[in-house]
């Protein structure tokens, strides 16, 4: 079936989204056609708004619409505890557990020799800059239990130890999750368990 | 639906959608193949562990329309020591990439499968990871018919007793530097290197741990094999820059002088 040009264009845009195949793209496009003009405008504005207003926090590199993100700006949180994650969505996964009261550091990826991604491509220097003032006493490495996540954690642990010695405790989130799964999909019980049972590496 | 079982090692994987992965697996009976591991990124998935690189499993596949599906996997060896150490993990990943780059899908080579498995076991058992990797490079080249020659000059058949000779990737071996024009891709090496290379080519895998190579021989052999492999593949390996010796000869190809 051939679509009118504007419709075909919308379908094509939806298809570019992760997890959306041709069938779902068509379904979404037809749904948009059915909704009211106001609803459609609200959706379009939300998309533009998020692109315009959401920036990365200059300290932890999580997404935020403030100068400093809410977590970094919160004096109630434990500033001596730093949880290192790969992506902003991992911050959301840990926050959902309501168990963790420290700060975060978002690396922006993981070391992946298979894809040619080395430590220089991640925000590791920025992490070390944060550790330099001595406020942080413990770093919790919460990367996924995959080969890339493990390699990243081991690399950071080694570098921290050689730079800061015993001044910074390094722990790895004790994964109750099976090897290979994404933290993003970890259920809350598993994550809470993992946060409580982190181990020294 | 056709179902088949094989012993396989995951050599590469890419995410598919939100929960799946496409695995590239080197199997004993079928050679390299691709298969989808559905739901393997979900916590609790039985396929999560078997979908990780260099994990060796007994696998069951179902033939699909586009891609085959990995339906079951029973882990035989997950190589925990390799994973525990950044250096050995980097060498293991490099070995996987070598196998991936040197093979086509569905070209059975059970000798290569055994070689890959023994390479991983050598790294797991804490055999010197650098020598293990050089050993693996020499053996995979041999198994695929790209073996580099270190016996004598490939032009005149002589081997000087001392001094320096050349290794030429395009020639596929050594050149004595005196009988004819030296190929212009030649790498200058000491004659002494050929005995180290010959030992490593001929030794049994379980004896590699007994070998002692001086730093210079390690460096020269790494360089020679890097350029020999690069010439055969006509491309760079992504993971080579992650090896402790990765910087050697990285920028430009050395010329003989
Ligand atoms: Zn922040
Ligand atoms: Zn000659």
């Amino acid at each position: 079936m051939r679509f009118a040009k504007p419709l075909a264009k919308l379908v094509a845009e939806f298809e570019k989204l992760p997890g959306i195949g041709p069938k779902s793209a068509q379904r979404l496009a037809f749904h948009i056609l059915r909704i009211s003009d106001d609803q459609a405008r609200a959706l379009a504005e939300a998309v533009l708004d998020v692109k315009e207003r959401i920036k990365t926090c200059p300290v932890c590199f999580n997404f935020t619409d403030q100068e400093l993100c809410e977590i970094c700006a919160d004096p109630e949180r434990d500033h001596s505890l730093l949880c290192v994650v790969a992506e902003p969505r991992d911050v959301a996964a840990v926050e959902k557990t309501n168990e963790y009261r420290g700060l975060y550091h978002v690396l922006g990826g993981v070391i992946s020799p298979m894809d040619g991604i080395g430590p220089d491509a991640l925000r590791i220097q920025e992490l070390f800059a944060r550790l330099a003032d001595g406020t942080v006493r413990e770093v919790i490495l919460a990367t996924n239990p995959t080969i890339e996540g493990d390699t990243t954690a081991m690399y950071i642990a080694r570098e921290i130890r050689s730079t800061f010695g015993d001044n910074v405790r390094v722990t790895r989130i004790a994964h109750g999750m099976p090897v290979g799964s994404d933290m993003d999909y970890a259920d809350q019980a598993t994550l809470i368990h993992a946060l409580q049972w982190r181990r020294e590496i | 639906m056709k179902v088949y079982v094989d012993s396989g090692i995951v050599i590469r994987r890419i995410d598919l959608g939100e929960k799946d992965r496409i695995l590239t697996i080197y199997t004993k009976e079928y050679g390299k193949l691709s298969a989808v591991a559905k739901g393997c990124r979900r916590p609790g998935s039985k396929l999560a562990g078997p979908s990780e690189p260099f994990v060796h499993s007994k696998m069951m596949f179902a033939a699909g329309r586009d891609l085959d599906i990995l339906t079951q996997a029973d882990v035989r060896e997950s190589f925990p020591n390799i994973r525990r150490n950044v250096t050995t993990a980097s060498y293991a990943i490099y070995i996987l990439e070598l196998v991936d780059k040197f093979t086509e899908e569905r070209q059975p080579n059970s000798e290569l499968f055994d070689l890959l498995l023994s390479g991983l076991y050598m790294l797991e058992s804490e055999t010197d990871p650098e020598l293990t990797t050089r050993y693996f490079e020499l053996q995979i080249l041999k198994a695929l018919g790209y073996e580099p020659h270190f016996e004598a000059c490939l032009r005149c058949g002589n081997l000087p007793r001392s001094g320096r000779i050349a290794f030429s990737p395009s020639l596929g071996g050594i050149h004595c530097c005196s009988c004819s024009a030296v190929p212009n891709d030649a790498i200058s090496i000491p004659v002494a290197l050929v005995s180290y290379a010959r030992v490593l080519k001929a030794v049994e895998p379980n004896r590699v741990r007994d070998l002692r190579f001086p730093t210079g021989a390690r460096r020269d052999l790494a360089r020679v094999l890097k350029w020999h492999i690069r010439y055969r593949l006509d491309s760079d390996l992504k993971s080579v820059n992650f090896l402790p010796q990765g910087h050697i000869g990285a920028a430009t190809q050395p010329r003989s002088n």
Side-chain angles (χ1 to χ4, degrees), chain A residues 57 59-61 69 72:
Chain A
C57 170
V59 176
C60 70
F61 302 96
C69 80
C72 288

Side-chain angles (χ1 to χ4, degrees), chain B residues 152-160 174-180:
Chain B
C153 171
L154 287 174
R155 288 271 159 76
C156 71
N158 290 327
L159 184 65
I174 53 175
H175 185 280
C176 71
C177 286
S178 51
C179 68
S180 53

Side-chain angles (χ1 to χ4, degrees), chain B residues 168-227:
Chain B
S168 157
S170 59
L171 200 60
I174 53 175
H175 185 280
C176 71
C177 286
S178 51
C179 68
S180 53
V182 181
N184 61 10
D185 66 347
I187 300 162
S188 173
I189 55 168
V191 175
L193 183 68
V194 301
S195 39
Y196 286 105
R198 290 200 299 230
V199 166
L200 203 54
K201 249 171 91 173
V203 77
E204 288 297 315
N206 57 350
R207 299 297 306 281
V208 173
R209 59 164 62 251
D210 303 327
L211 301 176
R212 297 289 173 269
F213 274 41
T215 317
R218 287 167 182 264
R219 187 193 53 220
D220 290 336
L221 193 57
R223 199 156 64 111
V224 158
L225 288 174
K226 177 178 173 157
W227 289 106

Side-chain angles (χ1 to χ4, degrees), chain A residues 57-62 64 68-73 104 130:
Chain A
C57 170
V59 176
C60 70
F61 302 96
N62 191 10
T64 180
L68 197 62
C69 80
E70 278 175 34
I71 296 172
C72 288
Y104 293 93
R130 289 182 75 178

Side-chain angles (χ1 to χ4, degrees), chain A residues 18-19 89 111-119 145-148 150-151 154-155 158 177-182 184-187 190, chain B residues 11-13 15 17-19 21 40-45 48-49 52-54 83-87 89-90 93 96-97 238-239 242:
Chain A
R89 63 178 190 190
I111 297 173
S112 177
M114 277 183 272
D115 304 307
I117 300 170
T146 58
I147 177 73
E148 293 84 0
D150 284 348
T151 304
M154 289 184 299
Y155 176 84
R158 196 176 66 186
M177 319 175 209
V179 161
S181 67
D182 267 8
D184 196 23
Y185 297 107
D187 61 78
T190 318
Chain B
I11 56 175
R12 187 156 55 89
R13 56 160 163 45
D15 290 352
E18 299 284 300
K19 299 176 182 75
R21 279 191 169 120
C40 72
R41 282 152 68 207
R42 267 199 208 113
S45 165
E52 283 292 286
F54 55 70
R83 295 177 68 106
R84 251 197 290 277
N85 180 307
V86 182
T87 308
S90 306
I93 285 167
L96 299 184
E97 195 183 357
K238 281 182 195 155
S239 58
F242 291 84

Side-chain angles (χ1 to χ4, degrees), chain A residues 21-98:
Chain A
K23 279 265 155 54
S24 318
Q26 287 177 25
R27 204 158 46 232
L28 286 170
F30 282 113
H31 175 74
I32 300 285
L33 277 180
R34 276 197 305 272
I35 63 179
S36 71
D37 288 2
D38 283 351
Q39 266 182 291
R41 199 165 293 115
L43 176 64
E45 274 166 11
V47 171
L48 293 174
D49 214 35
V50 84
K51 286 309 290 174
E52 214 165 277
R53 307 231 328 254
I54 299 294
K55 303 180 170 44
T56 52
C57 170
V59 176
C60 70
F61 302 96
N62 191 10
F63 291 136
T64 180
D65 60 346
Q66 316 281 315
E67 244 346 280
L68 197 62
C69 80
E70 278 175 34
I71 296 172
C72 288
D74 186 350
E76 299 286 293
R77 297 194 70 120
D78 185 349
H79 285 237
S80 72
L81 206 55
L82 197 61
C83 179
V84 175
V85 294
E87 303 287 352
R89 63 178 190 190
D90 300 327
V91 172
V94 177
E95 279 300 287
K96 259 192 283 179
T97 65
N98 277 322

